[in-house]
Amino acid sequence: MYGLKVEKFKEENDRQYLVLANHQTGFDQFFPSFAFRQHLYYVASEDIFSMGWISKVIQWIANPIPIKKQVTDIRAVMNCMKVAKEGGSIAMFPEGNRTFSGETGAMNPAIGGLAKKLGLPIAFLKIEGGYGVQPRWSDVRRKGKMKVYVSCVLEPEEYKGWSNNELYDRICKELYQNEANSEGAFYHKKSAEYIERVLYVCPHCGITHFESSGDTFRCTSCGRSAKYLPSKEISGEFSFRYLLDWYQYQQDYINALDTLALTAEPVIRDTCSLYKVNLYEGKECLAQDTQLALYGDRIEMTGSVTKTFPFDKIDTITILGKNKLDIYHEDLVY
């Protein structure tokens, strides 16, 4: 289904490993197990442990190690050390998120310290072509080719004398992948649909909404449009050649905003469903079709349930899947 070619890790030799991989598709969690013979204990977002009976099935099959995204999770570290002490191998995606742009995303610097504590051989697993086959923002899988292989192994003797930051830098270097280019061809007649999940700033209009259909997308404010090509290039009335260029432009645009001047009127509005997450149990729907408004200092939700999330009261926000936000607010998760 994914045009996937897996190179078996022939040098495995029944040793323990910390397997670190870059993150591109919704099925990446299966790929390391195709390359390794032994069982791997995956470190997984706590969100998958809050889906009722589905979570119980996942735990029975794979027994993953839960971790809170974007925060320091001491319990996850202790569980990893326990698995390593008992002879198990551990698999992680240090980005914690699939790439939206085609470029390997930021990694939590804590991975350097964790790897040092575990003291295992580190096997770097590279996933190539996944962004072309299944971009995070898309609902369709394109026809193309992927490759999965162990690029190198870093032995404990090699990094024993390194600082946590030095090991972190090496991990970032080994897992870096930039697929925002014209390498390969990836075909689907709906190649541009849902690109508005990643595009939110028009270079002509500022923050806005986009619409997509087939292989074409347009800005709803100025009407300019473009096509998303099988080569992953953008062709049309915008100056960006690749989505990564646009993605970086958006980051610079947002970082340059004076957010304190954007507190009177919403920067943008949307409609969503609001849930309270009962960690390791399930999700409780608080409201469907909630009106969401983003301001420079808060998120407001109105409708059958009214709720305000001031930024200075939010511990962290993390993106899950394609368009789901987890908001950690006052010891609760929404």
Side-chain angles (χ1 to χ4, degrees):
M1 289 169 62
Y2 279 73
L4 179 65
K5 178 183 178 182
V6 179
E7 291 185 8
K8 296 287 187 180
F9 183 40
K10 297 179 181 178
E11 294 78 30
E12 186 174 351
N13 297 327
D14 298 320
R15 294 201 299 164
Q16 283 179 266
Y17 290 93
L18 171 61
V19 182
L20 301 181
N22 59 314
H23 203 0
Q24 294 187 340
T25 82
F27 281 83
D28 286 352
Q29 63 269 28
F30 294 103
F31 300 157
S33 294
F34 294 161
F36 285 78
R37 294 186 303 274
Q38 62 184 290
H39 178 77
L40 300 175
Y41 289 87
Y42 288 88
V43 176
S45 166
E46 63 182 357
D47 185 69
I48 72 165
F49 297 88
S50 306
M51 300 187 296
W53 67 270
I54 297 176
S55 298
K56 290 182 173 59
V57 172
I58 293 173
Q59 287 179 275
W60 180 74
I61 292 173
N63 196 22
I65 301 167
I67 190 170
K68 295 180 180 179
K69 283 192 175 186
Q70 309 304 328
V71 296
T72 301
D73 192 339
I74 301 300
R75 185 172 70 168
V77 172
M78 298 303 294
N79 282 335
C80 286
M81 294 180 68
K82 180 181 178 182
V83 169
K85 187 176 180 180
E86 293 177 357
S89 289
I90 299 165
M92 294 181 65
F93 299 92
E95 293 165 86
N97 273 299
R98 293 165 56 189
T99 174
F100 270 113
S101 66
E103 182 182 44
T104 300
M107 302 180 197
N108 191 327
I111 185 61
L114 175 60
K116 285 270 288 184
K117 285 181 183 296
L118 296 177
L120 298 175
I122 303 174
F124 294 101
L125 189 92
K126 292 298 287 289
I127 300 174
E128 298 179 353
Y131 181 74
V133 171
Q134 190 189 59
R136 182 175 182 176
W137 44 266
S138 175
D139 274 3
V140 298
R141 187 183 65 254
R142 294 105 197 282
K143 186 177 180 180
K145 294 187 181 300
M146 286 185 63
K147 184 179 180 181
V148 170
Y149 62 97
V150 174
S151 60
C152 72
V153 175
L154 185 62
E155 298 291 347
E157 295 78 16
E158 296 181 67
Y159 65 79
K160 184 178 180 180
W162 297 2
S163 68
N164 292 349
N165 287 337
E166 287 174 324
L167 183 52
Y168 169 72
D169 290 340
R170 178 65 180 272
I171 291 170
C172 292
K173 179 181 177 181
E174 293 294 341
L175 294 183
Y176 180 78
Q177 185 83 3
N178 185 355
E179 296 195 359
N181 53 48
S182 304
E183 293 180 7
F186 304 90
Y187 297 94
H188 199 285
K189 63 182 180 181
K190 297 181 179 179
S191 61
E193 291 193 2
Y194 292 109
I195 202 169
E196 60 268 25
R197 288 172 176 158
V198 68
L199 295 183
Y200 52 87
V201 178
C202 173
H204 305 282
C205 310
I207 298 175
T208 186
H209 283 287
F210 288 84
E211 290 180 346
S212 58
S213 178
D215 64 354
T216 303
F217 62 96
R218 61 182 287 272
C219 170
T220 59
S221 297
C222 66
R224 289 179 173 88
S225 65
K227 289 180 179 290
Y228 188 80
L229 305 179
S231 61
K232 297 174 288 183
E233 292 176 280
I234 295 169
S235 175
E237 299 177 279
F238 300 100
S239 59
F240 306 104
R241 183 180 178 187
Y242 296 109
L243 202 58
L244 176 59
D245 303 327
W246 203 326
Y247 190 83
Q248 292 172 336
Y249 166 80
Q250 291 183 146
Q251 289 182 312
D252 293 340
Y253 182 95
I254 295 298
N255 287 333
L257 285 178
D258 178 9
T259 55
L260 294 180
L262 302 172
T263 58
E265 295 293 330
V267 178
I268 204 162
R269 297 180 183 273
D270 210 333
T271 302
C272 68
S273 299
L274 178 63
Y275 293 79
K276 185 175 78 171
V277 181
N278 300 312
L279 293 177
Y280 309 110
E281 294 180 15
K283 298 183 177 78
E284 175 187 349
C285 183
L286 301 181
Q288 297 280 3
D289 297 329
T290 302
Q291 297 304 305
L292 180 150
L294 172 67
Y295 295 83
D297 63 346
R298 67 195 185 279
I299 296 172
E300 287 188 357
M301 296 185 180
T302 56
S304 56
V305 172
T306 299
K307 199 142 192 72
T308 299
F309 299 104
F311 288 168
D312 60 359
K313 300 294 184 182
I314 293 176
D315 294 324
T316 191
I317 298 179
T318 186
I319 305 173
L320 298 164
K322 298 179 177 70
N323 59 343
K324 178 167 59 176
L325 295 180
D326 266 13
I327 302 175
Y328 292 75
H329 178 253
E330 295 182 343
D331 297 325
L332 296 174
V333 183
Y334 295 91

